[in-house]
Amino acid sequence: MACSRYEYVKTYEQDDTILPNVWIVIRIDGKKFHKFSKTHNFEKPNDENALNVMNAAATAVMQEFRDVVLAYGQSDEYSFVFRKETAAFKRRSAKLLTYVTSLFSTSYVMQWSKWMCLPLAYAPCFDGRVVLYPSDENLRDYLSWRQADVHVNNLYNTAFWKLVLDSGLSNQKAEERLRGTFSADKNELLFQEFGINYNNLPAMYRKGTILLRKRVISDGDNDQKGRQAIVPLHEDLISSHFWKVHTEILGKYVPGTYTAPEIMPRLVDLQLNTKQEKGDYEKKQPENLAGIS
Ligand code: GTP
Ligand code: MG
């Protein structure tokens, strides 16, 4: 095929292939979510449904990218860990980053009405970055860093909003009250003044959400192999216990099992019963649309 004289411009494109044999982490973060959460009346300091919109959008990313072995989310951010050997998009950094970020953003919008009561006021957007980690230890330290961040922020925010919403302090006074305090002080304040044992607050708020691909075994399930789904866990990933239980993350990638709790998390239920959902949707179509495919 003849080349046009403009073809040379292609040589300006830079090769951004990621090195072989490294953990690829893509972290996305909501743009100006301080304002976005205010506009959409998120509960303070944690809005369970809003966090589940994030979890559901991340689940969509994991469904698309089978090579994401773990995703970790908290507040308005999510990290996606690709297995070291992934060949997705020939390991081209910009392709991976833009695909994950845009799929997350569009999925966030698609999931919104499944969890939230009020409509989206404007389009949310997310930035993204790629970070590479050469060793398992580096990867664990990265995830521990993000989980430690949840702990520090959530303890502070829980105490802050109790002082403001329950005790009627101004934002400034609450800030002053907490300035220079240690974790133990904030725990004590919550217990003494509000009767709250911080460790009894929902684990999703304290630990963030870890998404793993698992075979779901539920009571009365005849098929003991289980069906695969992305499941949310709110465990302590800083401890070595977590890595001993979920060996598939660092080792040979064979999804482990997940014994469904009595009440199946809606996030999992939606995946296992997607056909039923489609059926419901079809039933809701106006009659004059029936039959149009
Ligand atoms: P940029 O990321 O720099 O654009 O700023 P940002 O406003 O998104 O702040 P950042 O990413 O540092 O922090 C996320 C912000 O989102 C928090 O400070 C909260 O204001 C808000 N946010 C996230 N999750 C929740 C939630 O469940 N409830 C409430 N009320 N706010 C939340
Ligand atoms: Mg943000």
Side-chain angles (χ1 to χ4, degrees):
M1 206 202 295
C3 295
S4 83
R5 75 180 187 85
Y6 308 114
E7 286 269 321
Y8 79 94
V9 294
K10 278 187 80 173
T11 62
Y12 281 60
E13 284 183 20
Q14 286 182 330
D15 178 31
D16 65 349
T17 309
I18 290 169
L19 290 172
N21 203 33
V22 285
W23 292 105
I24 301 172
V25 176
I26 293 183
R27 181 167 83 248
I28 60 92
D29 185 286
K31 182 167 189 294
K32 293 208 170 99
F33 257 50
H34 184 67
K35 176 180 160 230
F36 184 81
S37 57
K38 241 186 185 162
T39 306
H40 295 92
N41 297 331
F42 283 13
E43 274 180 35
K44 297 179 181 102
N46 293 289
D47 188 302
E48 186 183 356
N49 289 319
L51 291 172
N52 273 320
V53 178
M54 293 289 292
N55 294 339
T59 300
V61 171
M62 279 188 79
Q63 284 171 328
E64 177 70 17
F65 286 99
R66 311 273 315 165
D67 281 354
V68 171
V69 293
L70 175 153
Y72 178 68
Q74 53 125 336
S75 183
D76 68 338
E77 70 167 60
Y78 241 101
S79 299
F80 298 93
V81 179
F82 282 77
R83 65 190 188 94
K84 280 182 156 182
E85 306 77 22
T86 187
F89 290 112
K90 298 188 179 148
R91 296 174 78 87
R92 288 168 64 186
S93 183
K95 283 250 187 190
L96 280 169
L97 176 62
T98 50
Y99 197 173
V100 167
T101 311
S102 64
L103 181 59
F104 186 92
S105 308
T106 50
S107 302
Y108 187 94
V109 172
M110 298 272 288
Q111 290 293 328
W112 179 267
S113 62
K114 286 191 186 151
W115 304 89
M116 306 296 283
C117 296
L118 77 181
L120 264 175
Y122 59 90
C125 67
F126 296 84
D127 67 34
R129 70 195 71 189
V130 181
V131 194
L132 309 177
Y133 292 107
S135 72
D136 294 356
E137 188 190 358
N138 294 150
L139 176 70
R140 280 182 56 173
D141 286 348
Y142 168 78
L143 292 165
S144 300
W145 172 52
R146 297 324 301 141
Q147 193 166 59
D149 191 69
V150 184
H151 174 72
V152 172
N153 289 338
N154 191 55
L155 181 58
Y156 180 92
N157 290 338
T158 306
F160 179 87
W161 286 112
K162 275 280 155 202
L163 289 170
V164 172
L165 300 176
D166 289 19
S167 300
L169 263 62
S170 67
N171 286 14
Q172 195 193 333
K173 282 269 178 271
E175 214 175 294
E176 280 168 15
R177 178 83 194 275
L178 294 173
R179 196 172 300 150
T181 55
F182 295 106
S183 286
D185 303 321
K186 287 187 266 292
N187 271 311
E188 195 60 15
L189 180 148
L190 284 171
F191 191 68
Q192 294 300 339
E193 293 191 27
F194 304 102
I196 291 176
N197 182 342
Y198 181 76
N199 289 329
N200 292 343
L201 293 180
M204 178 160 72
Y205 304 163
R206 292 181 293 111
K207 301 286 178 201
T209 299
I210 303 153
L211 297 178
L212 294 179
R213 195 170 282 102
K214 294 280 184 186
R215 289 180 288 113
V216 179
I217 314 279
S218 44
D219 249 4
D221 208 344
N222 295 331
D223 177 12
Q224 281 304 303
K225 282 192 198 132
R227 288 177 59 193
Q228 268 199 32
I230 316 292
V231 303
L233 306 173
H234 312 289
E235 298 175 4
D236 180 359
L237 58 68
I238 298 175
S239 76
S240 49
H241 178 74
F242 174 86
W243 299 93
K244 281 183 194 140
V245 173
H246 307 288
T247 48
E248 76 268 21
I249 305 166
L250 300 178
K252 192 170 173 328
Y253 191 61
V254 180
T257 55
Y258 170 81
T259 307
E262 219 166 289
I263 301 172
M264 182 81 88
R266 186 161 170 240
L267 198 69
V268 180
D269 205 37
L270 283 170
Q271 294 171 64
L272 298 179
N273 296 305
T274 36
K275 273 199 189 106
Q276 227 166 306
E277 281 241 314
K278 189 165 173 256
D280 289 347
Y281 173 74
E282 278 163 359
K283 260 183 255 154
K284 278 182 214 143
Q285 295 300 299
E287 271 177 13
N288 58 359
L289 284 181
I292 297 177
S293 58

